[in-house]
Amino acid sequence: MTDSWHSKPAKIVLDDLQTDSLGLTEEEARNRLEEHGPNQLKQRKRVSPLTIFFDQFKDIFVIMLLVATLIAFFAAYVENEPQTDTLTIAAIVVLNSVVGFVQEYRSERAMEAMMKLTAPKAQLMRNGKAVVVDAKDIVPGDIVLLESGDRVPADSRLIEVVDLRTDEAVLTGESTQVGKRTSVVDENTPTADRKNMIFMGTFVTYGRGKAVVTSTGMDTEFGKIAEMVQTVETEQTPLKLKLEKFAKKLAVIIVVICAIIFILELVDPARSGQIIESFLTAIALAVSAVPEGLPAVVTISLALGTRELAKRSAIIRKLASAETLGATTVICSDKTGTLTKGEMTVREIFTNDKRYDVTGVGYEAKGQILLNKKPINAKEDTNLNLLLGGGSVCANASYDGAKILGDTTEGALIVAAAKTGMTKDKLESKYPRVHEIPFTSERKRMTTVHKMSEGTLLSFMKGAPEIILDRCTSIFKDGELRKLTKSEKTKLLKVNERMANDALRVLGIASKDLENVEIDDFRELSKAEEINKKVETEMAFIGLIGMIDPPREEAVEANNLCKQAGIKTVMITGDHKLTAVSVAKEIGIVEGNPDNLALTGSELTDMSDEDFDRIVETVKVYARVAPEHKLRIVKALKKKGEIVAMTGDGVNDAPALKQADIGVAMGITGTDVTKEAADMVLADDNFATIVSAVEGGRTIYDNIRKFSFFLMRSNFDELALIGTFALLGLELPLTAGMILWLNLVTDGGPAIALTMDPPEKDVMERPPRNPKEGVLHGRIASIIATFTFQFMLTGGLFYWQYYLLPGPLTAMKLAQARTMAFTRATLQELFVVWNCRSEKHNAFKVGFLTNKFLLIAVIGSAVLTVIVPFFGLFGTVVMDDPVEWALVVVAAMSGLLILPEVFYNRKVWKWR
């Protein structure tokens, strides 16, 4: 089937589809249904929930935890200890798998939401009669009958319209109603501008029409989007990739070291026949190296971060996305309602040869009328008073003082008048409407007639300035009627052009005293055409009103914050290029730099991938784009190594949202399809919320780095300790149970508390991090220094207590030495954690009271450690010698001596 139905006259379209205005016969419809298939969106075979669940266990960290679970079980069994550690690690495995399953399962529901947007029934012409059929039975060539409130069942070419308007926001993302017509448009016209076509999934909001179906099912524009939604391959988040890479390296190291130690233990003559003991040594090594708490703490960190972001109106649907936000390098944002208020506002007025500026934005009737930058009283200006009052009453929208019900353009006129004290309710009460000639896309104007207080009739007309001027023979100046000369008209058209070039939507306003016309004349249908013609001719031009959907004030501030943080903002809109560039300049996205290019969808279509790849990083504005353009933009940016956040609200945005690293759906105006495809939903549809979420994402990642750093600093000293003593054929300072306690209980609380660390002051003053850098980038030297220091102190204390102090090497002496080593290792980690909170400043500069959760966690872990010996856990004994306690505490406090300033790599953030 051809895609150029819009460029052909209606009669040719009917001939090509072998149909006519009476519709198909039932027999022909059945034949076509067999040929083209049902008018439905086809859903590809989905992965079953069970498969999704079991796929969670392919994660390398989950595999390591499963092995750690078996090790913990075996160690507890051999040492006759409770299976507490086994259950704890198993719980971590289940938690991670369930969370992963829920996130992945939810991400597959976008197609279900799309299918809900298709019409269940439709009214057609069959066999020359109007019938209602199931929408799935519609075929190309069917004649569809449409009226207000209908959902369009299939892509169709209009053949008859009566004031037909549609809401195509679900498809184009633009909320403005689209006036429809039957006339031919150019073959290269973008989908959003094909006024003679209607599309599956959109709504009829006004009028009625008749159309011939041109495409059904997956061949429709809606179907093409559905295909893209299903074929877009979602990629793993940067954090997941880094953790997997880290886990694989760690797994190799653990396996190699454990195997070497186990073999050396077996061949050691001193340990001949002690296979179980050798195996337990290898187990202790493995347990010491695996950061059992890391996956759980990452999940908890993301969950807590998600809760915090929700307070900022950013609802995170996929946990890992909370961290990915922090890596964002490009934000591709829709214009209407996100960067702008989504509320048309009068910005400029031209009347009586004067330009007036209007302050205030949105639908609050706050603001002033300025002349030469000075406030004026509009009621004392006859022209201005007539212009604003006429614009307000010649409108069908209503205003309650806070919001507009109806057309947003009319809303702007009503609010502008309200700013001067002229409310629509008062005006209509004083000058009631007695007649209306409605707006149509062909007429491009609307006229209302009002009864004045003295009983005479006055009409007001609003519409396209050139149309209004053509119907005017006079002009209001200084409160008087004067002849509208040709030069005056030319001057006004130039003013209109200048205002349009400033991206203003311009309306002309005119009026006429209706002499020799009575109210009853409008009630006689036979006179209707004649009266309407009389009402709309020889009018008096009053002035021009220019309006715009203004940028949000917070969007300007947020864009400045993006620049400061090294994040590029790109505007992608279905609006016209001129309007888009103007708004982008106001916000600061475009700053006059020749590299700041603006492209239209048509220009992008004509551009090769190679040419587009060369300029994609310099383009700041995309206008009149189609769904495939958005997808192409995201792919091109990601190809350049960018981490892309993409916003959207219509169904047309769903494929691009799935392709982006962070898909952001609008919570107020967004469709269910978009929300299902997104990683994050904005509860307030505000661009500033995205930037705030990026700040939150950076904080989350910073905190993940903090506790990962802490866990690695705490784990590797145990690996070195066990490995060294095993190689030397000495007794092990720590048992497998002790190591699990250190990794899960001692480290767990402080690690979780680090996830709640407040953001650093410079979090939005540094460029985005390099997505290729690991979680521990720039901190390896500090980790090595810490575990070396810890290894020497813990190992030295154990060796001194067990081997150097006088007395036989008894089991009690071994228990005492291990207790000292265990207590010292535990307490030192609780001191080390304070120097993990900043890469630049030590604990004394950061403070010990700025994170109350960490303080509580450290005290709690210390208390638990001190009471362990009283229960005899892990073979420990109570230390009753004050000298032993003094040695342990002093040695533990050395953890504060490893200062982050010494190891801070200042190049970490300067990669771009």
Side-chain angles (χ1 to χ4, degrees):
M1 287 300 218
T2 180
D3 284 327
S4 58
W5 298 112
H6 55 281
S7 64
K8 296 181 179 182
K11 186 176 186 309
I12 292 178
V13 172
L14 289 169
D15 291 343
D16 286 350
L17 290 167
Q18 298 179 1
T19 187
D20 56 35
S21 59
L22 296 178
L24 301 171
T25 64
E26 289 293 347
E27 183 180 357
E28 178 62 21
R30 281 194 297 271
N31 293 335
R32 294 192 184 192
L33 187 61
E34 288 182 13
E35 179 185 351
H36 297 282
N39 178 37
Q40 291 176 320
L41 300 182
K42 295 178 182 177
Q43 190 166 7
R44 294 188 174 199
K45 186 177 180 181
R46 291 180 56 186
V47 180
S48 70
L50 199 60
T51 303
I52 294 173
F53 180 72
F54 283 118
D55 280 347
Q56 307 307 311
F57 293 91
K58 295 178 181 178
D59 182 273
I60 186 68
F61 247 125
V62 173
I63 293 171
M64 290 174 67
L65 288 176
L66 287 172
V67 173
T69 305
L70 294 174
I71 289 172
F73 174 80
F74 187 75
Y77 177 77
V78 171
E79 296 183 11
N80 198 28
E81 296 281 355
Q83 294 289 349
T84 307
D85 297 322
T86 307
L87 294 174
T88 302
I89 303 174
I92 292 171
V93 173
V94 172
L95 171 67
N96 279 277
S97 300
V98 168
V99 169
F101 166 76
V102 171
Q103 300 294 320
E104 198 170 326
Y105 179 71
R106 285 174 62 180
S107 70
E108 296 298 323
R109 292 170 55 190
M111 265 304 297
E112 294 177 14
M114 284 196 77
M115 295 176 81
K116 291 178 182 177
L117 290 177
T118 55
K121 299 280 186 179
Q123 189 174 15
L124 310 177
M125 293 294 294
R126 288 269 177 94
N127 294 325
K129 296 180 180 178
V131 295
V132 175
V133 302
D134 289 335
K136 64 181 178 62
D137 295 330
I138 292 175
V139 295
D142 263 326
I143 302 299
V144 181
L145 304 178
L146 299 160
E147 56 188 37
S148 182
D150 287 347
R151 193 187 288 275
V152 178
D155 287 7
S156 309
R157 170 67 160 86
L158 288 162
I159 56 177
E160 291 179 20
V161 295
V162 179
D163 297 343
L164 185 68
R165 299 180 210 168
T166 61
D167 180 347
E168 296 181 353
V170 71
L171 197 65
T172 66
E174 294 301 312
S175 57
T176 307
Q177 293 181 15
V178 182
K180 293 295 181 178
R181 59 175 187 261
T182 59
S183 55
V184 172
V185 296
D186 185 75
E187 185 174 354
N188 296 321
T189 302
T191 303
D193 292 330
R194 295 175 186 174
K195 302 295 177 66
N196 59 7
M197 297 288 295
I198 51 174
F199 304 99
M200 174 190 272
T202 61
F203 270 106
V204 176
T205 58
Y206 191 82
R208 53 191 173 84
K210 183 185 286 188
V212 56
V213 174
T214 55
S215 305
T216 58
M218 298 301 283
D219 293 326
T220 62
E221 295 297 322
F222 204 67
K224 292 172 186 176
I225 295 172
E227 180 67 18
M228 284 190 280
V229 166
Q230 296 183 87
T231 54
V232 168
E233 293 292 333
T234 53
E235 299 176 3
Q236 290 184 328
T237 64
L239 177 65
K240 188 171 179 62
L241 290 171
K242 288 172 191 171
L243 289 177
E244 282 196 359
K245 187 177 180 181
F246 170 69
K248 287 176 182 177
K249 289 180 179 178
L250 192 60
V252 171
I253 293 171
I254 292 170
V255 171
V256 170
I257 293 177
C258 290
I260 291 173
I261 297 298
F262 183 60
I263 293 169
L264 289 175
E265 286 275 297
L266 286 179
V267 298
D268 185 356
R271 305 218 173 191
S272 178
Q274 298 181 1
I275 296 177
I276 296 297
E277 288 78 3
S278 299
F279 185 62
L280 283 175
T281 300
I283 284 176
L285 268 173
V287 169
S288 69
V290 176
E292 290 86 0
L294 184 58
V297 179
V298 168
T299 300
I300 292 169
S301 173
L302 293 172
L304 292 173
T306 296
R307 186 182 67 177
E308 182 60 34
L309 290 175
K311 295 177 183 177
R312 306 184 188 190
S313 299
I315 314 301
I316 303 296
R317 298 187 66 253
K318 300 171 187 175
L319 275 185
S321 302
E323 175 277 330
T324 309
L325 273 166
T328 301
T329 60
V330 178
I331 300 175
C332 295
S333 177
D334 190 19
K335 176 182 71 69
T336 307
T338 307
L339 288 167
T340 65
K341 291 183 70 69
E343 301 173 354
M344 293 299 291
T345 303
V346 173
R347 173 78 53 92
E348 181 184 335
I349 294 170
F350 187 88
T351 184
N352 204 17
D353 290 330
K354 299 173 186 175
R355 170 180 170 167
Y356 299 84
D357 295 309
V358 184
T359 65
V361 295
Y363 293 153
E364 291 187 22
K366 296 177 182 178
Q368 297 174 311
I369 311 294
L370 306 179
L371 178 62
N372 298 323
K373 299 184 179 180
K374 295 180 180 179
I376 64 160
N377 186 346
K379 292 181 180 179
E380 295 177 359
D381 188 316
T382 307
N383 266 60
L384 197 57
N385 193 36
L386 187 61
L387 181 73
L388 292 172
S392 182
V393 296
C394 188
N396 288 325
S398 59
Y399 177 54
D400 63 4
K403 60 183 179 181
I404 290 293
L405 299 176
D407 185 77
T408 57
T409 300
E410 291 187 339
L413 298 175
I414 296 169
V415 173
K419 288 178 180 179
T420 67
M422 293 187 289
T423 64
K424 188 184 180 191
D425 289 343
K426 289 180 181 178
L427 289 171
E428 288 186 331
S429 176
K430 191 173 182 180
Y431 311 113
R433 184 188 298 187
V434 296
H435 184 60
E436 175 189 336
I437 308 174
F439 172 89
T440 68
S441 55
E442 286 79 19
R443 284 168 33 83
K444 295 184 179 179
R445 64 184 185 274
M446 171 185 175
T447 303
T448 56
V449 179
H450 302 266
K451 182 180 179 181
M452 308 307 287
S453 54
E454 59 271 21
T456 59
L457 299 179
L458 178 68
S459 67
F460 285 103
M461 178 192 290
K462 76 172 191 301
E466 63 277 13
I467 300 294
I468 303 299
L469 281 168
D470 281 345
R471 296 191 163 265
C472 292
T473 55
S474 57
I475 184 170
F476 270 100
K477 280 200 174 181
D478 299 320
E480 297 178 358
L481 276 179
R482 299 181 186 177
K483 184 179 179 181
L484 180 62
T485 63
K486 188 175 181 180
S487 61
E488 189 78 43
K489 187 180 291 188
T490 302
K491 177 184 174 182
L492 288 167
L493 288 173
K494 284 183 177 180
V495 172
N496 172 50
E497 185 179 0
R498 192 261 308 159
M499 292 172 74
N501 287 335
D502 288 339
L504 297 177
R505 184 179 297 175
V506 188
L507 290 179
I509 307 289
S511 71
K512 180 180 181 179
D513 284 313
L514 298 178
E515 300 173 354
N516 303 319
V517 177
E518 302 292 334
I519 293 177
D520 291 339
D521 292 339
F522 296 112
R523 296 172 183 151
E524 295 184 34
L525 294 179
S526 59
K527 292 184 178 181
E529 188 175 340
E530 179 187 343
I531 292 295
N532 285 351
K533 186 177 180 180
K534 186 174 183 179
V535 168
E536 292 190 326
T537 56
E538 298 182 349
M539 301 197 78
F541 190 79
I542 308 172
L544 300 168
I545 297 180
M547 61 198 76
I548 194 170
D549 179 9
R552 292 176 180 264
E553 292 177 10
E554 58 270 34
V556 178
E557 297 171 11
N559 183 62
N560 290 334
L561 192 58
C562 281
K563 291 177 185 176
Q564 184 179 295
I567 300 169
K568 185 170 73 172
T569 305
V570 176
M571 178 191 290
I572 302 180
T573 178
D575 211 339
H576 294 281
K577 184 175 181 178
L578 197 64
T579 305
V581 171
S582 177
V583 172
K585 283 181 178 178
E586 278 198 58
I587 294 172
I589 295 173
V590 173
E591 297 181 311
N593 188 323
D595 290 334
N596 295 336
L597 300 176
L599 284 180
T600 64
S602 299
E603 291 168 339
L604 187 54
T605 298
D606 295 337
M607 193 175 289
S608 67
D609 287 340
E610 293 75 18
D611 289 340
F612 183 48
D613 286 344
R614 278 194 291 271
I615 67 167
V616 65
E617 291 185 294
T618 64
V619 179
K620 294 295 185 72
V621 175
Y622 295 90
R624 306 307 278 173
V625 293
E628 61 270 20
H629 295 140
K630 293 187 177 184
L631 196 58
R632 188 179 175 191
I633 293 164
V634 173
K635 287 181 177 179
L637 286 169
K638 291 180 71 173
K639 189 177 176 182
K640 291 288 185 178
E642 305 285 2
I643 303 296
V644 183
M646 166 70 82
T647 72
D649 51 11
V651 173
N652 63 318
D653 297 318
L657 262 60
K658 283 195 74 174
Q659 181 70 53
D661 296 287
I662 292 288
V664 184
M666 302 298 109
I668 299 172
T669 60
T671 61
D672 288 342
V673 180
T674 317
K675 293 173 185 175
E676 292 294 346
D679 303 294
M680 180 173 84
V681 178
L682 299 184
D684 58 1
D685 289 12
N686 195 333
F687 176 76
T689 301
I690 305 174
V691 181
S692 177
V694 169
E695 180 182 359
R698 287 190 174 190
T699 301
I700 290 169
Y701 184 73
D702 281 353
N703 290 343
I704 288 174
R705 275 177 60 83
K706 289 175 188 177
F707 67 67
S708 300
F709 178 44
F710 168 59
L711 293 177
M712 290 302 101
R713 288 177 95 178
S714 303
N715 274 43
F716 277 93
D717 68 309
E718 299 157 9
L719 180 63
L721 193 67
I722 300 298
T724 302
F725 275 73
L727 286 172
L728 294 174
L730 303 175
E731 292 289 350
L732 301 184
L734 301 171
T735 64
M738 289 176 175
I739 294 168
L740 278 170
W741 177 276
L742 282 164
N743 289 358
L744 293 174
V745 181
T746 304
D747 297 346
I752 292 172
L754 282 175
T755 68
M756 293 177 270
D757 227 25
E760 296 187 46
K761 292 179 181 179
D762 67 342
V763 70
M764 289 298 280
E765 294 176 5
R766 60 192 187 222
R769 68 177 186 271
N770 187 342
K772 295 179 182 178
E773 289 173 353
V775 177
L776 300 175
H777 175 72
R779 291 192 150 187
I780 302 301
S782 183
I783 290 173
I784 294 172
T786 304
F787 83 68
T788 302
F789 198 46
Q790 286 229 64
F791 156 70
M792 291 172 63
L793 286 172
T794 305
L797 197 62
F798 172 81
Y799 191 84
W800 171 79
Q801 171 79 3
Y802 185 61
Y803 288 105
L804 298 184
L805 286 182
L809 303 180
T810 62
M812 175 55 72
K813 193 176 184 182
L814 178 61
Q816 289 174 333
R818 281 179 172 169
T819 301
M820 281 188 70
F822 170 67
T823 307
R824 197 220 71 83
T826 302
L827 295 180
Q828 169 138 343
E829 290 180 7
L830 298 179
F831 282 108
V832 165
V833 70
W834 295 103
N835 273 334
C836 295
R837 297 181 62 200
S838 173
E839 296 189 48
K840 307 172 189 176
H841 307 296
N842 61 60
F844 298 98
K845 286 186 179 179
V846 175
F848 293 91
L849 301 176
T850 50
N851 185 341
K852 62 182 180 181
F853 301 104
L854 181 58
L855 187 62
I856 293 169
V858 166
I859 293 172
S861 292
V863 170
L864 288 173
T865 298
V866 169
I867 65 174
V868 162
F870 289 94
F871 293 94
L873 295 176
F874 318 123
T876 56
V877 293
V878 176
M879 291 193 303
D880 50 13
D881 187 346
V883 176
E884 290 180 349
W885 273 109
L887 283 171
V888 166
V889 172
V890 171
M893 290 180 69
S894 64
L896 291 173
L897 300 178
I898 304 173
L899 305 177
E901 293 97 320
V902 177
F903 302 96
Y904 176 58
N905 178 2
R906 298 182 188 279
K907 294 182 180 179
V908 168
W909 303 111
K910 298 179 181 178
W911 65 279
R912 291 174 73 81

